[in-house]
Amino acid sequence: MRRTADKQKGTATIGISLLLLIAMTLTALSSSRTAVMSQRMVANDNRAKQAFEASDAGLNLAIALLSNTASPYSNFSGTLSNSTSYAVTFTDLSGGNCRQIRIQSLGTSDDDSATRTITQEFARMELLSSPPEQPLITKGQVDFQGNGTVTNTE
């Protein structure tokens, strides 16, 4: 009788060990899956940041062009040193004596898997519809001698 009971104790130990091994395997697989997902999320976030930075670089170049060049503005694109790229488009929204331009910059990550777009509008309103060629601007007092004519066309 005693020999049969010893065999049954060994069977119970093997069963419990097998259950513990299965539980540890499932835990390891779950941890591995979580680590892979975390790594993918970090990589996607890095690509999104690359695309945003490329788009921002394109927008900054477009603003510099807008400040230093007369219209019409031409669309342009470029590649940065880290292999990210941008494409900038200008849209003229002007009407009346208000000059309005929309700049849209599309940035792409180095592996072309992520894109980000930044859009900004600029408006410039002329204070006078037809400003004089030689305006008189003064602070304080102005003395005239002789004859003069002041014409206000508005």
Side-chain angles (χ1 to χ4, degrees):
M1 272 315 238
R2 185 156 168 85
R3 198 167 185 199
T4 306
D6 286 341
K7 285 183 181 180
Q8 287 179 354
K9 279 184 182 177
T11 304
T13 303
I14 288 176
I16 290 172
S17 297
L18 192 59
L19 285 175
L20 286 174
L21 182 63
I22 291 171
M24 288 173 49
T25 302
L26 291 175
T27 302
L29 287 175
S30 175
S31 296
S32 172
R33 184 175 178 202
T34 301
V36 168
M37 288 299 289
S38 177
Q39 188 177 20
R40 285 183 185 167
M41 287 171 35
V42 168
N44 287 341
D45 187 49
N46 186 33
R47 288 185 195 103
K49 286 179 182 176
Q50 281 181 341
F52 176 79
E53 293 299 328
S55 181
D56 190 45
L59 181 67
N60 288 335
L61 286 172
I63 291 170
L65 180 72
L66 190 67
S67 300
N68 299 323
T69 315
S71 64
Y73 304 106
S74 299
N75 300 339
F76 64 92
S77 61
T79 302
L80 301 174
S81 60
N82 62 352
S83 300
T84 58
S85 59
Y86 58 85
V88 176
T89 56
F90 293 94
T91 307
D92 190 4
L93 307 171
S94 298
N97 65 340
C98 179
R99 185 166 169 229
Q100 190 171 359
I101 295 173
R102 177 183 297 141
I103 301 173
Q104 186 171 4
S105 179
L106 172 70
T108 307
S109 65
D110 58 356
D111 63 354
D112 294 335
S113 64
T115 59
R116 292 293 179 264
T117 302
I118 301 175
T119 303
Q120 193 164 359
E121 291 185 10
F122 294 90
R124 182 175 163 187
M125 187 172 194
E126 299 295 334
L127 297 177
L128 299 172
S129 59
S130 57
E133 291 180 26
Q134 307 255 337
L136 174 63
I137 300 172
T138 181
K139 179 178 180 182
Q141 196 173 19
V142 176
D143 291 326
F144 284 105
Q145 293 180 356
N147 296 331
T149 305
V150 176
T151 305
N152 186 358
T153 59
E154 294 195 24

